[in-house]
Amino acid sequence: MLKALIFDMDGVLVNSMPFHAAAWKKAFLDMGMEIQDQDIYAIEGSNPKNGLPLLIRKARKEPEAYDFETITSIYRKEFKRVFKLKAFDGMKECLEVLKTRFLLSVVSGSDHLIVHEIVDQLFPDIFDIVVTGDDITNSKPHPDPFLKAVELLNVQREECIVIENAILGVEAAKKAKIYCIGIPTYLEPSQLGRADLVVGDHKQLMQHLLSLEPAHGFGV
């Protein structure tokens, strides 16, 4: 019995990761470090507390030498400056239909202010539950963010589907024992191979989601 759909935000609902990458690169440059877009895409889904040490090591530096709050502050300011708010074409209309059939949730590793500002502007009154990087201790690839959403939605894991575009997000969904659809927005499809289903693009994703019925069963 399918009752709930759980969406990642960046790269699934909004085309925002290039702006996140640009903002993180600026923050790192200001701190005397250099990272690449692919370094950032590889850890998409983690919150800054968990993701920053990984990025700093990618820049061949020691995380202990840097103040995470300073880096994050630069990133937030730059993201706000460069970000152009845009949902993927057709996504809002798709969600409005899905809301009549399922409970809907967003689970994002981004911080509370960014997530809620985007959701409130682009998808007002659509989502029943929003879980952000500030709401949990262990971010993706830990299962905690999705398990938190399941708890708040008051459903069982086998009654949910997760929609993810990130390697860490797919890993988190599978650790949570939740059926997962992968959408390779910024990656090669093979990089999301752990997902139960990988669709080719957003058009295919929306067609598949709109074909689902609340009584449709999915094995985990």
Side-chain angles (χ1 to χ4, degrees), residues 69-96:
E69 189 52 49
T70 299
I71 300 174
T72 304
S73 177
I74 298 169
Y75 150 75
R76 286 180 183 141
K77 184 177 179 181
E78 181 66 7
F79 180 80
K80 197 165 188 177
R81 187 184 73 82
V82 301
F83 182 50
K84 293 179 174 58
L85 194 62
K86 188 180 188 302
F88 285 101
D89 290 343
M91 185 55 74
K92 184 173 187 291
E93 293 78 9
C94 177
L95 290 171
E96 287 171 344

Side-chain angles (χ1 to χ4, degrees), residues 113-173:
L113 290 175
I114 288 175
V115 174
H116 281 273
E117 185 172 347
I118 291 172
V119 169
D120 290 347
Q121 287 192 50
L122 290 182
F123 311 108
D125 304 316
I126 293 287
F127 292 100
D128 300 283
I129 295 295
V130 176
V131 178
T132 76
D134 296 323
D135 297 324
I136 42 89
T137 301
N138 298 313
S139 63
K140 306 170 190 177
H142 293 276
D144 299 18
F146 292 125
L147 295 177
K148 179 79 170 177
V150 169
E151 177 191 346
L152 293 173
L153 289 165
N154 195 28
V155 294
Q156 303 299 311
R157 289 179 290 187
E158 58 270 21
E159 296 172 329
C160 303
I161 292 178
V162 165
I163 300 93
E164 263 287 353
N165 77 297
I167 298 168
L168 299 186
V170 170
E171 188 176 341

Side-chain angles (χ1 to χ4, degrees), residues 39-59:
D39 298 331
I40 299 162
Y41 293 154
I43 64 150
E44 182 189 347
S46 63
N47 59 19
K49 185 183 77 170
N50 297 141
L52 270 174
L54 301 175
L55 285 178
I56 293 170
R57 288 193 179 97
K58 277 285 186 181

Side-chain angles (χ1 to χ4, degrees), residues 16 47 88 94 100 102 175:
S16 50
N47 59 19
F88 285 101
C94 177
T100 66
F102 306 104
K175 284 181 178 177

Side-chain angles (χ1 to χ4, degrees), residues 200-218:
D201 54 28
H202 275 77
K203 183 177 180 181
Q204 287 183 25
L205 172 65
M206 289 184 278
Q207 287 174 343
H208 181 73
L209 294 177
L210 291 171
S211 75
L212 299 174
E213 294 294 337
H216 200 95
F218 281 82

